[in-house]
Amino acid sequence: MLGERLAAALGAARDGAAGIESFAHLLGSRRVGPRGVALALPEVCEGCAALVTALDSLSAAVRDGFVETDSAVAADAAVAADAAAADAACAVLGHAGVEVARLTDELSRAAAGASPARGPGRGRGDRGGSERGIDARQRLGLEASVRRTARELSGALRLSELVIATLELRPTPLDLIDVLRNWSAAPAEGRPVVRISIASSDGRANEVEGDVRAVSGLMELTVGIVSAAGVSSPHLTVSRLSDGRSTVRIAERGPREGAPAVALDVVLRDGGERAAAVARVVARRARIELVEGTGGRVVTMTF
């Protein structure tokens, strides 16, 4: 069953990412000595190699998922076989795979350097590298590299999960302000927290029908898009159109705009082209009109 296949592939990718995150914490712990780091390197290398395979399997499962969706609901153009959706998810997973492969090579070289083979005649006074460990400079370099990969994986899995969620959208009544308040304000490793102000002059405009995963994910991504475009403190305005639809505008606050109704600190999500492609795909599949202004400094969503 495809759902089980996707779940298994996603679970394997998450487990691999958790292993890299754990190794980053180990490298940063001063309770773990150089010997401990060197002893952990071979196992982490194996885990990274397995993660590359898991990411490839997840990409294949995602692509097949959007093909199978076509046979199940071929009459619905919004969820029919969607090459663009599969391409968006696979692009971020492919980028993550390249990053993990790079880390695998780096860790393999570190493990080889820390564990030279024993030659004939070596005695107790000539310890193997796994006993000697790695020096402080190597350790700092490895920690920076591992944390970089952990950040890339976190973003890639988040984006791919958002696309996967559109295979089975579950629309429910939502309050947009409540969705915003539920965002996590805790900074992820290496990700800055952005101050965002929110204004809503009509409480009815906050009430929409949508899948909470798609709506919250889209709003986080659009904050990332305008932030990446140079808007340091985005302002989000919720309003009601004359046709009864609700619209969300994210941009820099204008000089005439008053104090915000709500102010939140949110973790900045990816604002690169891969993330923007995911945002477009998710909006289309969730039937949310997404319009990006010139340079990405203004984004509007209409529900």
Side-chain angles (χ1 to χ4, degrees):
M1 185 175 177
L2 185 62
E4 294 176 353
R5 179 187 170 199
L6 258 177
L10 188 54
R14 285 172 176 162
D15 288 345
I20 290 178
E21 188 72 38
S22 295
F23 188 54
H25 290 309
L26 182 147
L27 287 167
S29 173
R30 295 305 168 246
R31 294 184 177 182
V32 180
R35 256 189 82 193
V37 173
L39 288 170
L41 277 170
E43 183 177 349
V44 177
C45 288
E46 291 179 8
C48 285
L51 178 55
V52 172
T53 300
L55 291 170
D56 288 341
S57 297
L58 180 56
S59 292
V62 167
R63 195 167 292 283
D64 289 347
F66 284 100
V67 170
E68 181 152 309
T69 301
D70 182 36
S71 62
V73 282
D76 191 338
V79 292
D82 198 335
D87 287 347
C90 291
V92 296
L93 291 171
H95 174 74
V98 170
E99 177 64 23
V100 175
R102 178 202 64 77
L103 180 64
T104 304
D105 290 342
E106 184 174 345
L107 294 179
S108 296
R109 290 194 301 271
S115 303
R118 289 178 181 270
R122 291 190 178 183
R124 292 182 59 186
D126 190 2
R127 294 184 173 183
S130 62
E131 296 180 3
R132 185 184 68 246
I134 63 174
D135 62 35
R137 184 175 180 180
Q138 285 178 299
R139 181 169 181 160
L140 286 173
L142 280 179
E143 183 181 355
S145 185
V146 172
R147 290 192 182 280
R148 164 186 156 181
T149 302
R151 289 193 300 269
E152 293 288 341
L153 276 170
S154 174
L157 290 177
R158 171 81 174 107
L159 291 173
S160 61
E161 287 169 3
L162 186 53
V163 177
I164 290 169
T166 68
L167 285 168
E168 191 179 2
L169 292 167
R170 304 186 188 100
T172 59
L174 300 174
D175 184 296
L176 290 173
I177 301 300
D178 285 345
V179 171
L180 293 168
R181 286 191 176 119
N182 287 332
W183 282 0
S184 171
E189 182 66 41
R191 292 181 185 275
V193 172
V194 176
R195 185 74 167 172
I196 178 171
S197 57
I198 303 165
S200 176
S201 57
D202 182 352
R204 295 173 303 166
N206 304 335
E207 301 169 359
V208 301
E209 186 88 6
D211 182 284
V212 66
R213 298 164 299 175
V215 173
S216 62
L218 268 177
M219 286 201 281
E220 288 186 73
L221 284 179
T222 50
V223 167
I225 289 171
V226 298
S227 297
V231 178
S232 59
S233 298
H235 182 62
L236 188 150
T237 307
V238 184
S239 57
R240 202 168 186 85
L241 301 178
S242 58
D243 60 9
R245 294 184 299 163
S246 295
T247 185
V248 173
R249 181 178 183 271
I250 303 174
E252 192 166 16
R253 183 163 57 174
R256 295 184 179 180
E257 291 176 302
V262 181
L264 299 174
D265 290 325
V266 300
V267 176
L268 176 63
R269 295 292 179 180
D270 303 77
E273 181 52 39
R274 282 182 294 270
V278 166
R280 296 176 198 123
V281 161
V282 172
R284 172 172 54 79
R285 292 183 62 82
R287 296 184 175 86
I288 298 171
E289 184 181 318
L290 179 70
V291 178
E292 300 167 63
T294 304
R297 294 180 63 87
V298 180
V299 177
T300 59
M301 293 176 286
T302 304
F303 298 83

